[in-house]
């Protein structure tokens, strides 16, 4: 087993993609991203590449910096230093709206769904389609049905079901479908299979594969390495705020991934 170990750059202020060795074919690239909260350094010079059409699994123990990193990507928190690139071009995502305008959608663990509304209303919440100043229910319903069909979501009986009546896996599917319907090019998923049963987990993993097959980049945070090795094309390992290793999933074994997560290093290469 061999892995790439990332080091913090000497100068995190360089802002041109070519000078930083950024591959313009990569959907998202981070170079030297650091985040400080007072005296606490939550992220340390993170370099990360996320390609389109592949699943990148972001793994690490609690407190490794995974959530901080995705919030920096999603525009919730501004990095203290470093640069973000979108298809090789420097970007500034100061707010979640900036990130959404680029095509970055984040599905958090709480899913941000309204239990008292049906699937159609949740899919269009805040982006309702209108005709002559009236809600265009027919268009919204048809587009919702088509999006779910395109993502092979077949377990939902009716798009007029209340979201509160859905299973955990179905709710996850609705949150992802909402992102896809809004033309997301990168979908970030925070622990998508947490607290799901075996059947629901399998449905969500299939959904993740479907997203990648449609050319959408997927960045998944997960503690479940069985899920990671089942769906990921690439693995990125965080340890105490540092990205200690990243590369194709074939470069890792279960034991080497666990060792990187728990110690930040691998004692010997396989």
């Amino acid at each position: 087993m061999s892995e790439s170990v990332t080091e913090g750059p000497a100068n995190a202020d360089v802002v041109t993609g070519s000078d930083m060795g950024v591959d313009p074919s990569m959907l998202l690239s981070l170079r030297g991203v650091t985040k400080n909260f007072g005296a606490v350094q939550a992220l340390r010079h993170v370099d990360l590449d996320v390609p389109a059409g592949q699943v990148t699994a972001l793994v690490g123990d609690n407190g490794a910096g995974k959530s901080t990193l995705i919030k920096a990507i999603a525009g919730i928190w501004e990095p203290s230093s470093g640069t973000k690139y979108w298809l090789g071009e420097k970007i500034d995502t100061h707010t979640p709206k900036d990130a959404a305008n680029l095509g970055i959608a984040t599905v958090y663990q709480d899913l941000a769904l309204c239990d008292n509304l049906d699937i159609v209303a949740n899919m269009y919440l805040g982006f309702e389609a209108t005709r002559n100043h009236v809600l265009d229910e027919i268009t919204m319903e048809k587009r919702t049905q088509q999006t779910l069909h395109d993502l092979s979501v077949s377990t939902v009986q009716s798009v007029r079901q209340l979201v509160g009546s859905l299973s955990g896996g179905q709710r996850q599917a609705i949150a992802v479908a909402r992102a896809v319907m809004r033309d997301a090019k990168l979908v970030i998923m925070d622990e998508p299979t947490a607290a799901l049963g075996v059947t629901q987990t399998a449905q969500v993993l299939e959904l993740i594969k479907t997203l990648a097959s449609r050319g959408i980049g997927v960045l998944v945070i997960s503690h479940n390495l069985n899920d990671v090795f089942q769906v990921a094309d690439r693995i990125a390992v965080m340890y105490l705020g540092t990205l200690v290793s990243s590369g194709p999933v074939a470069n890792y074994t279960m034991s080497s991934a666990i060792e990187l997560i728990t110690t930040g290093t691998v004692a010997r290469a396989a």
Side-chain angles (χ1 to χ4, degrees):
M1 195 286 296
S2 62
E3 74 285 340
S4 60
V5 179
T6 59
E7 299 289 346
N11 182 358
D13 297 325
V14 179
V15 295
T16 59
S18 58
D19 290 344
M20 292 294 288
V22 174
D23 183 349
S25 69
M26 288 291 173
L27 191 60
L28 174 72
S29 296
L30 307 179
R31 291 296 181 268
V33 169
T34 296
K35 179 60 181 177
N36 300 322
F37 295 97
V40 177
Q41 194 171 41
L43 298 175
R44 299 180 176 89
H45 304 295
V46 173
D47 292 352
L48 176 66
D49 291 313
V50 180
Q54 294 188 30
V55 179
T56 301
L58 186 63
V59 300
D61 208 347
N62 291 335
K66 306 183 301 298
S67 294
T68 302
L69 184 61
I70 66 168
K71 287 177 180 178
I73 295 171
I76 293 177
W77 287 332
E78 190 82 14
S80 302
S81 63
T83 311
K84 294 178 280 188
Y85 298 90
W86 187 256
L87 295 171
E89 298 293 326
K90 180 179 178 293
I91 58 170
D92 293 307
T93 51
H94 301 294
T95 66
K97 184 177 181 180
D98 292 339
N101 289 340
L102 285 172
I104 300 173
T106 305
V107 180
Y108 295 101
Q109 283 181 273
D110 63 7
L111 303 180
L113 297 174
C114 296
D115 289 348
N116 61 323
L117 299 179
D118 64 25
I119 293 172
V120 175
N122 271 277
M123 292 279 280
Y124 277 91
L125 192 61
F127 298 86
E128 290 81 2
T130 60
R131 176 176 294 179
N132 298 324
H133 307 291
V134 177
L135 288 177
D136 190 348
E137 296 284 358
I138 294 176
T139 296
M140 290 191 291
E141 184 168 322
K142 287 182 176 179
R143 284 201 62 197
T144 296
Q145 291 171 333
Q146 186 62 50
T147 301
L148 294 177
H149 178 268
D150 291 345
L151 293 176
S152 301
V153 178
S154 58
T155 60
V156 174
Q157 295 178 353
S158 168
V159 294
R160 290 301 179 181
Q161 281 183 259
L162 293 181
V163 164
S165 70
L166 301 179
S167 69
Q170 290 171 327
R171 290 164 63 88
Q172 188 74 236
I174 298 307
V176 171
R178 179 173 59 186
V180 171
M181 195 172 66
R182 295 176 188 175
D183 297 322
K185 298 176 178 64
L186 170 63
V187 176
I188 302 171
M189 304 178 71
D190 186 7
E191 299 286 359
T193 60
L196 297 185
V198 174
T199 301
Q200 295 173 358
T201 294
Q203 292 170 354
V204 172
L205 295 181
E206 281 302 313
L207 178 60
I208 292 171
K209 293 177 183 177
T210 300
L211 290 177
S213 71
R214 290 167 57 92
I216 297 171
V218 185
L219 181 60
V220 178
I221 290 180
S222 181
H223 281 94
N224 191 321
L225 289 182
N226 289 319
D227 292 351
V228 166
F229 278 92
Q230 187 172 338
V231 300
D233 300 291
R234 299 174 60 84
I235 292 179
V237 185
M238 297 288 296
Y239 179 76
L240 298 180
T242 302
L243 185 69
V244 294
S245 181
S246 64
V249 69
N251 287 0
Y252 301 86
T253 64
M254 185 75 75
S255 61
S256 66
I258 292 172
E259 191 169 358
L260 283 162
I261 289 168
T262 55
T263 69
T265 60
V266 173
R268 61 182 179 84

